[in-house]
Each structure stands twice: as structure tokens, then as C-alpha cells.
Amino acid sequence: MGWVACRSIENLRRSLVLALLIAVGVQTSWAEDESENTALKFAPEAAATFNKRCTACHTYGKGIKVGPDLKGVTERRKRDWLIKFIHASSVVIKSGDRTATDLFAQFKQQRMPDWTDLSDKQINDILDYVAIGGPDIKPADERSAELGTAADAENGRDIFSGRKGLKYGVQACAACHSVQGAVFGGSLGPDLSRTYFKYQDRALTEFLRHPCFQWSAGTPEAHYLTAKESFSLKVFLRQAALQQSAKTDKREEHSRSAKADGTSGHGGPGDAQKGKAP
């Protein structure tokens, strides 16, 4: 009964999560690995530049900050105008351009810095990043493992065990770790059966973005797991944690039932009297 109750509660929880996402109309885009045909592609440098230079004065979909909200800016303005303005807003304003002078007046003559160090290609990449969803795009590994499928869990199992090689050639988790119930795994590191519940989804996502052991000094930390590999591992570890909890619940229920019946499997106090004469 404990196992059934655990599964029922888990299924209800997952249904509530999906229903909530639908109810509030969340439309989150997930960036997949570069090899995926369905990937939302953008230059990582463009995202980094946007976060470093643009977010100090602009929001994306959250209204005016120091400057205008940049959501939809590629639809409001022509691409060639945006490139000129981002590259040297002072020049465009001084030229008497109506749009530029209106913005300059609207935002209390707070002029945007001239980003003359950026090439046209770099600016175009930033505009492409904004056009496809910008900051609303989240890495695939930030999805909750609750939304993973059976195929994701199986993929995670293959990655963990080493049956499926990792893109950047790093060692499989099973080289050092194990999970209970699996026929593979090492003992150099801790058992990871309960890791998902120990760290929870967000913390585990961050943990999987960095190698727990530097096998080779020549392997850059940035090239550890792809977002998709990390997500699949997270789904597998969640599945392992659920199975372990179900087994624990079943053992505890059996123990409670045994105590209620006055037995323990090793012989209770009443057993000692059996066979003795009254």
C-alpha cells in the first residue's frame, strides 16, 4: 500500500504541475543541444553580451527600466536602424533621426552608450537572440525532472552506466558512483540513490554543470555535460530516488504490520512461550 500511495501522490503531483503550467499560460522555450534539429539556435556569445551589457538598463518583457523594454524591439524597429543605433547612438541622435531624438527626449536624455567595439555580426547575433525569445530561453537542463519521460530516464541510465558515451568524452558517473538496485557502479564516490531528494531539482542542475572530479587537467570545465545529458541524468536520478523511497516505505509498512501482529520475523516475545507447558 505504501508503494501504491507513493506512486499515486507522485502522479497527482506531476498532473498538478502540468495543469498549473497550462493554467497560467507559461510559454517557456528550452534551448536544446546544438545537434538537435529542433533547437532554438543562438550564439552563446550573444547571450553573454546581452546579459552583461543590456540588462543593466533594459528588461525583456518586464517594462521600462532606464531604457525601453527590449521585447519585440526587432519588430518595432528595422534591423539596419538598430545596428546603427546600437553601434553609435550618439551619431544617430546628432543626425536628427526622428526616432532617435524622440527616444532621447522620452528617456530624459539618457543616451545609450556607443558600442563601437561590437561588429555588425556581433550586433546581428544579439538581435537574433532577442528575436527568438532572448532571456525567456532557458537551458534544457533547467527543466524540472518531473517533466521527464521514460525515454529520458532510460537515456539517463545509459549515460550514468557508461553504455552511452558522453559528447565531450568525460568519464561516466558509474566510474565512481552507484545507485541501489543497479548492476553497475563504482565505490570511489558516494551512492547517489537519494541524491535527487537531497539536493532537489535546482541545486542538482547546478551541481551537474561542473565536474565532481577533474579526470584530466586538459579538459575544460565548460565542456563537461551537454544540457540534454544533464537533464537525462537528472530524470534518471529522480527515478532512482523514487524507487528507493518506495522500497523504504514498503519495508517500514511491513515492519509496522509485523509489530501490530506481535511478530517480527525473528520471533516475538510470545514465541518464547510456545511449546512450554502451562
Side-chain angles (χ1 to χ4, degrees):
M1 288 294 293
W3 180 82
V4 173
C6 180
R7 288 298 299 272
S8 298
I9 292 171
E10 182 55 35
N11 289 336
L12 176 61
R13 183 181 177 186
R14 180 169 180 172
S15 297
L16 288 174
V17 169
L18 292 173
L20 180 61
L21 289 174
I22 294 171
V24 300
V26 174
Q27 295 181 345
T28 304
S29 297
W30 304 99
E32 298 288 351
D33 298 331
E34 293 178 0
S35 60
E36 295 293 323
N37 293 329
T38 57
L40 290 170
K41 299 183 186 299
F42 58 83
E45 181 189 358
T49 302
F50 180 91
N51 290 326
K52 183 178 180 180
R53 302 196 187 194
C54 304
T55 56
C57 297
H58 301 278
T59 72
Y60 187 86
K62 297 181 180 179
I64 293 172
K65 196 173 180 181
V66 177
D69 189 328
L70 295 183
K71 190 166 188 175
V73 69
T74 55
E75 298 171 5
R76 296 193 301 269
R77 311 290 181 214
K78 292 182 178 180
R79 179 66 66 108
D80 59 347
W81 184 90
L82 287 169
I83 293 173
K84 291 177 183 177
F85 191 78
I86 294 170
H87 193 256
S89 65
S90 62
V91 174
V92 181
I93 293 170
K94 288 177 182 178
S95 72
D97 179 273
R98 180 64 181 271
T99 302
T101 55
D102 285 351
L103 286 170
F104 188 53
Q106 179 184 351
F107 291 96
K108 303 176 182 179
Q109 298 188 344
Q110 291 282 337
R111 184 181 63 77
M112 193 176 84
D114 292 341
W115 299 118
T116 55
D117 60 315
L118 296 177
S119 67
D120 285 358
K121 184 183 183 307
Q122 288 174 312
I123 296 174
N124 262 312
D125 286 345
I126 294 170
L127 294 174
D128 288 341
Y129 170 69
V130 171
I132 63 172
D136 285 344
I137 300 173
K138 304 298 182 183
D141 59 346
E142 289 187 11
R143 281 180 291 177
S144 171
E146 292 183 2
L147 303 178
T149 64
D152 291 323
E154 187 61 29
N155 188 50
R157 175 183 290 274
D158 289 343
I159 290 172
F160 188 99
S161 67
R163 285 197 293 263
K164 179 175 288 187
L166 295 165
K167 180 175 179 178
Y168 298 116
V170 297
Q171 292 287 333
C173 304
C176 299
H177 304 281
S178 63
V179 292
Q180 292 185 24
V183 296
F184 49 77
S187 58
L188 181 62
D191 183 284
L192 301 183
S193 300
R194 297 180 180 273
T195 299
Y196 184 84
F197 291 152
K198 178 180 179 181
Y199 288 99
Q200 296 300 312
D201 203 279
R202 187 180 182 88
L204 185 57
T205 298
E206 290 299 323
F207 183 82
L208 289 172
R209 287 176 174 174
H210 307 282
C212 55
F213 183 80
Q214 197 73 24
W215 287 94
S216 172
T219 303
E221 186 172 296
H223 289 165
Y224 178 48
L225 298 174
T226 67
K228 188 172 182 179
E229 289 169 346
S230 179
F231 176 70
S232 294
L233 276 172
K234 195 166 60 169
V235 175
F236 168 67
L237 290 172
R238 177 176 177 273
Q239 182 188 72
L242 287 171
Q243 291 173 345
Q244 187 62 28
S245 293
K247 290 178 182 178
T248 301
D249 290 345
K250 193 171 183 179
R251 285 196 298 268
E252 290 177 351
E253 183 181 357
H254 182 270
S255 177
R256 286 193 297 269
S257 297
K259 288 180 180 179
D261 293 340
T263 62
S264 65
H266 297 290
D271 294 335
Q273 303 299 323
K274 290 181 181 179
K276 290 186 177 182

